Amino acid sequence: MKKGLVVLFLVVSTLNATAQQYALFNTKTLFDSFENPAQKSFVLDSSRQFASNFLIPYLDLSSLSPGNSNVAIRNLIRQGYTESRIGAFANPKTMREDVNVYIAAIRLFKYHKYHSEMGFSWQIRSETQVDYDADISKGLFYETFQKFASIPRINIFNNNSKMQAYHQISFTYRENYTKRWALGAKVSLLSGIGYMQFDASRSSASVNSATLDVDMAAKFRLNYPEGGEFNFKNSLPYKNLGAAITIGTTYTTKSGVFMMANIKDLGFIRWGKNSYTGAFDVTQSNIPLVGNPGEQEEDKLQRALDNLAKGNTEQKRFIAPINSRADFLISKTFGAYTPNLIISKHFFNKYGEAALVNTIKSGTFSFSAIPSYNTDKNFRLGIQGMIQTPNFEMFLGTNDLIETYYAGKDIIKGNEAVETGYHRGSIYLGMAFKIGYIVEHPMNMSWMPGVGDGQERQSFFGRIFGIFKKKQR
């Protein structure tokens, strides 16, 4: 397995429970302005004209510890294993992840009258959902992308799972439509890196040291390089193309209540001609687990399952949606304290989450505590610290303080994740700067973009909504 592509490593090996960086919402950081496109990131008379992360990625250093999965599979084969399922899970559970890494982001102040801002960004995203049964699944999480994306995921067949990783290259624009109401949009070109979906409606597997018996009804879709090997060329953003759009708005009442709403990443990817789809209903006994001298037992099992799948596969293009969602935020500042209530709901699955971001600010430093609860019935507590000036920002936080504490404790003690579960940890950080001329208010200006060019312009959204207004004769 080639491991030279650092970016891909970040995508497929840094799994954490689904979470947006809620503590960065309503902070007017560069990250906030790209995730919530109606948000400002410049302050008149203080900020400079260009903002960028200068190729210092917004990194989510979250991790999902795989444990000693190779040993688990060896023991499974040596000791024998049988498990059957028909229909729905008896005790369903879901493991989710949503990794979002900004490789490059640049934003510029365009025009003073409507506080127009525009920006360009390059993200790498990874989305995973695995449904499994809490009573029978053994958490066999694999270390390589090939085995991660292959059919045996949890408890051999007894799971339904979906994973896709892709590039997202975007243009954003925002402006004030009125003094209290702002609008923004983010238009994205998508390019798929890898996709896997597997759904089993009936599965029974019996494994011993030499043979495999299987009875399974399932369907699957795959798109990743032959042999699961990624290199720089086949990970460039030029194939498996798609598109997405985000639209957002903010409104501030006379009493100072701030509200924000977004429809995010409504889009799809068209996975190309190298894709594989399959649906099969098979019952086979005594499938030999053969291999080369000295070959590991888990590789023999992997080969037998791959051969089983190849006989029921065809190459076929398909279209898959990305994780689209709607967010709503309401907030009001009380001196140094700002609470933000955030509600988020996915469109194409049942996942939703509510979070309360409690931020205390003193000068350029702020601290946030973020309790949240989701539809998977998981409670989490995140924290974040941030230093922010009009021309510099740096933040460090975790989405899951409790899990990160226990994961860190096990790392220090040298313990590995047990075979019946996994450990999750989460640390994210980012930094951005602003350079160029100061964006001054016209009454204080020495220079400002969009001022003094001899003509007055109408706002972009004003021109769009103007078609609905009655024209004056």
Side-chain angles (χ1 to χ4, degrees):
M1 176 67 187
K2 297 181 180 178
K3 299 181 180 180
L5 187 59
V6 175
V7 169
L8 182 67
F9 176 81
L10 290 172
V11 172
V12 301
S13 66
T14 59
L15 307 184
N16 63 299
T18 296
Q20 301 187 68
Q21 314 298 18
Y22 294 125
L24 292 173
F25 285 26
N26 194 25
T27 57
K28 297 180 174 60
T29 57
L30 186 63
F31 182 94
D32 185 24
S33 67
F34 278 104
E35 289 293 293
N36 306 298
Q39 277 283 58
K40 300 177 182 178
S41 60
F42 294 88
V43 180
L44 289 179
D45 296 327
S46 299
S47 296
R48 297 185 178 274
Q49 184 186 3
F50 298 97
S52 177
N53 66 347
F54 290 93
L55 297 178
I56 303 172
Y58 286 119
L59 287 182
D60 187 338
L61 300 180
S62 306
S63 65
L64 179 68
S65 175
N68 200 341
S69 60
N70 287 342
V71 172
I73 297 175
R74 290 191 189 100
N75 291 339
L76 181 151
I77 296 174
R78 289 169 180 168
Q79 297 171 9
Y81 166 82
T82 301
E83 190 62 70
S84 299
R85 176 175 75 86
I86 298 178
F89 295 113
N91 187 7
K93 295 291 183 181
T94 301
M95 187 279 287
R96 306 178 192 272
E97 64 86 13
D98 188 352
V99 174
N100 180 10
V101 179
Y102 276 87
I103 301 299
I106 183 169
R107 196 171 181 89
L108 63 92
F109 185 86
K110 181 64 177 174
Y111 191 75
H112 84 284
K113 184 176 181 180
Y114 306 103
H115 201 108
S116 302
E117 301 178 14
M118 64 174 58
F120 302 88
S121 63
W122 172 25
Q123 301 162 254
I124 294 184
R125 307 287 299 269
S126 175
E127 304 161 350
T128 299
Q129 175 179 324
V130 179
D131 300 319
Y132 63 98
D133 194 295
D135 296 329
I136 62 176
S137 294
K138 294 183 177 297
L140 303 178
F141 293 91
Y142 296 95
E143 286 106 335
T144 69
F145 183 79
Q146 179 182 6
K147 292 181 180 180
F148 174 86
S150 297
I151 290 175
R153 172 63 173 168
I154 298 178
N155 222 24
I156 304 300
F157 300 122
N158 294 351
N159 75 97
N160 301 320
S161 55
K162 176 183 176 181
M163 185 283 295
Q164 65 178 339
Y166 55 91
H167 299 271
Q168 183 170 356
I169 300 172
S170 308
F171 169 77
T172 62
Y173 180 82
R174 66 87 57 201
E175 68 181 21
N176 294 339
Y177 188 65
T178 67
K179 290 183 178 180
R180 299 186 181 278
W181 183 21
L183 300 169
K186 177 179 179 180
V187 181
S188 303
L189 172 68
L190 309 178
S191 176
I193 299 175
Y195 184 94
M196 180 282 297
Q197 183 176 6
F198 178 79
D199 298 299
S201 59
R202 183 185 84 248
S203 65
S204 175
S206 179
V207 185
N208 58 45
S209 60
T211 62
L212 164 69
D213 298 340
V214 61
D215 179 16
M216 180 169 61
K219 57 183 179 180
F220 63 92
R221 299 193 296 185
L222 300 171
N223 184 297
Y224 59 97
E226 191 71 27
E229 294 190 359
F230 278 86
N231 54 38
F232 184 76
K233 180 182 178 181
N234 59 36
S235 298
L236 289 175
Y238 68 94
K239 57 183 179 179
N240 300 316
L241 298 180
I245 186 170
T246 297
I247 55 176
T249 184
T250 65
Y251 185 80
T252 305
T253 68
K254 292 182 179 180
S255 61
V257 176
F258 175 80
M259 292 178 285
M260 179 172 67
N262 297 282
I263 296 176
K264 292 185 174 180
D265 296 325
L266 189 60
F268 63 92
I269 297 174
R270 183 176 184 267
W271 296 91
K273 63 182 180 180
N274 293 325
S275 303
Y276 293 88
T277 63
F280 46 88
D281 188 342
V282 297
T283 300
Q284 293 189 29
S285 301
N286 298 317
I287 300 173
L289 300 181
V290 297
N292 300 318
E295 186 175 21
Q296 300 293 338
E297 291 169 316
E298 66 271 17
D299 293 329
K300 298 178 184 179
L301 175 59
Q302 181 74 43
R303 181 182 297 104
L305 295 171
D306 286 345
N307 291 336
L308 177 64
K310 288 177 181 178
N312 298 274
T313 300
E314 63 175 327
Q315 283 193 296
K316 185 179 180 181
R317 293 180 173 90
F318 62 86
I319 294 175
I322 62 174
N323 274 356
S324 308
R325 59 197 179 276
D327 293 342
F328 176 76
L329 176 149
I330 185 168
S331 173
K332 186 175 181 178
T333 298
F334 303 92
Y337 171 63
T338 302
N340 295 273
L341 175 63
I342 303 170
I343 298 174
S344 179
K345 179 65 179 71
H346 285 198
F347 290 147
F348 301 120
N349 59 55
K350 68 179 182 179
Y351 188 82
E353 189 167 18
L356 180 62
V357 181
N358 301 275
T359 300
I360 297 177
K361 187 171 183 178
S362 177
T364 60
F365 179 77
S366 64
F367 175 81
S368 301
I370 315 100
S372 65
Y373 189 78
N374 59 43
T375 52
D376 290 337
K377 299 181 180 180
N378 294 325
F379 171 81
R380 296 181 301 140
L381 176 63
I383 60 171
Q384 176 185 279
M386 180 165 63
I387 299 173
Q388 186 179 24
T389 71
N391 294 303
F392 174 76
E393 61 201 43
M394 181 174 66
F395 53 84
L396 174 67
T398 175
N399 290 318
D400 201 330
L401 179 64
I402 298 173
E403 289 285 352
T404 302
Y405 168 76
Y406 285 112
K409 188 176 179 181
D410 284 335
I411 291 173
I412 293 174
K413 291 184 177 181
N415 296 335
E416 295 189 11
V418 295
E419 294 174 14
T420 55
Y422 59 86
H423 289 162
R424 186 175 70 242
S426 169
I427 298 176
Y428 64 87
L429 70 158
M431 183 184 302
F433 306 85
K434 294 186 178 76
I435 60 173
Y437 292 101
I438 292 178
V439 290
E440 299 169 306
H441 191 278
M443 298 189 65
N444 304 322
M445 64 171 289
S446 56
W447 180 88
M448 175 174 283
V451 175
D453 54 9
Q455 57 182 354
E456 196 68 20
R457 51 160 277 180
Q458 186 182 7
S459 72
F460 173 75
F461 289 110
R463 292 196 298 272
I464 292 177
F465 295 137
I467 64 176
F468 302 106
K469 295 181 179 179
K470 186 180 293 185
K471 296 183 179 180
Q472 296 182 354
R473 296 181 180 178

